[in-house]
Amino acid sequence: AIAGHLDRRPGILPALAGFTASRSNSGFAGGGQIGCDYQMGAWVVGIRNMFDGTSIRQTTPFSDGVFTGSFDSHVRWFDTLTGRVGYLVQPNILLYGQGGAAWTQASFTFNDPTGLVVGQVSRNKTGWTAGGGAEWMFLPHWSVFVEYNFLGFGTNSSSVIACGGACILSGKADLQNVLVGLNYKF
């Protein structure tokens, strides 16, 4: 399958000595998927694994009166393993919901005004995903689909000494995506 994404990541939150900033970010993700479906009358059940690399990156300047610098965030990739249940509203149109496990690699870097890295959180995270969509089979073996997904990964935190005292830096990497794709079914 070939897929393209418009991704949004709300709530990137650096917290420095009482300072909090929130940014939404968008970017492109592309990758592939593999899965299988089983049809029972008008009902369809299936499983899918989807892996995408992303261009989601943001730099946010900040100052809390004690520490001034910038916060860089980057989501490198995400992967989902989902089960789905759908219903054929017409012989070639499927409406479905899905949910399952999700993984990502996200990094959050905190820099002083000279660009020196004073704190960094970079981890592979495990989370969850839920969403739904519609699929239209326009030719035998070929379909197009559009779907929305939320991927929840929680918060990453790190302690930094160089910000005028001990600071706790946190970054939240939840993703939302609208996926448009093309499938070939064997």
Side-chain angles (χ1 to χ4, degrees), residues 128-172:
W128 59 274
T129 183
E135 185 173 351
W136 172 52
M137 185 168 283
F138 62 94
L139 288 172
H141 304 287
W142 289 95
S143 67
V144 293
F145 64 95
V146 62
E147 69 184 39
Y148 165 82
N149 296 292
F150 179 88
L151 291 77
F153 294 108
T155 301
N156 287 322
S157 296
S158 179
S159 179
V160 176
I161 302 298
C163 63
C167 301
I168 301 297
L169 309 174
S170 297
K172 186 172 183 175

Side-chain angles (χ1 to χ4, degrees), residues 37-46 83-89 93-98 132-135:
D37 289 325
Y38 180 73
Q39 184 174 343
M40 302 164 292
W43 290 95
V44 176
V45 296
R84 79 172 179 169
V85 175
Y87 187 78
L88 290 165
V89 294
I93 298 177
L94 176 70
L95 299 179
Y96 60 90
Q98 62 186 11
E135 185 173 351

Side-chain angles (χ1 to χ4, degrees), residues 1-137:
I2 302 166
H5 295 269
L6 171 64
D7 291 286
R8 302 224 28 106
R9 181 187 46 197
I12 300 306
L13 301 172
L16 297 169
F19 172 78
T20 300
S22 179
R23 290 286 177 126
S24 290
N25 193 5
S26 63
F28 180 79
Q33 64 179 349
I34 189 167
C36 64
D37 289 325
Y38 180 73
Q39 184 174 343
M40 302 164 292
W43 290 95
V44 176
V45 296
I47 189 167
R48 173 178 74 179
N49 184 269
M50 180 175 54
F51 181 87
D52 290 287
T54 81
S55 68
I56 301 172
R57 176 171 245 148
Q58 176 79 28
T59 299
T60 305
F62 61 85
S63 178
D64 71 349
V66 176
F67 184 76
T68 300
S70 64
F71 170 73
D72 298 321
S73 61
H74 185 201
V75 175
R76 298 183 191 322
W77 57 264
F78 62 88
D79 185 21
T80 60
L81 178 62
T82 56
R84 79 172 179 169
V85 175
Y87 187 78
L88 290 165
V89 294
Q90 292 187 9
N92 61 342
I93 298 177
L94 176 70
L95 299 179
Y96 60 90
Q98 62 186 11
W103 299 268
T104 191
Q105 201 289 320
S107 64
F108 307 98
T109 305
F110 303 90
N111 305 302
D112 70 11
T114 67
L116 179 68
V117 174
V118 295
Q120 184 171 17
V121 179
S122 181
R123 294 193 183 117
N124 293 341
K125 293 282 287 181
T126 299
W128 59 274
T129 183
E135 185 173 351
W136 172 52
M137 185 168 283

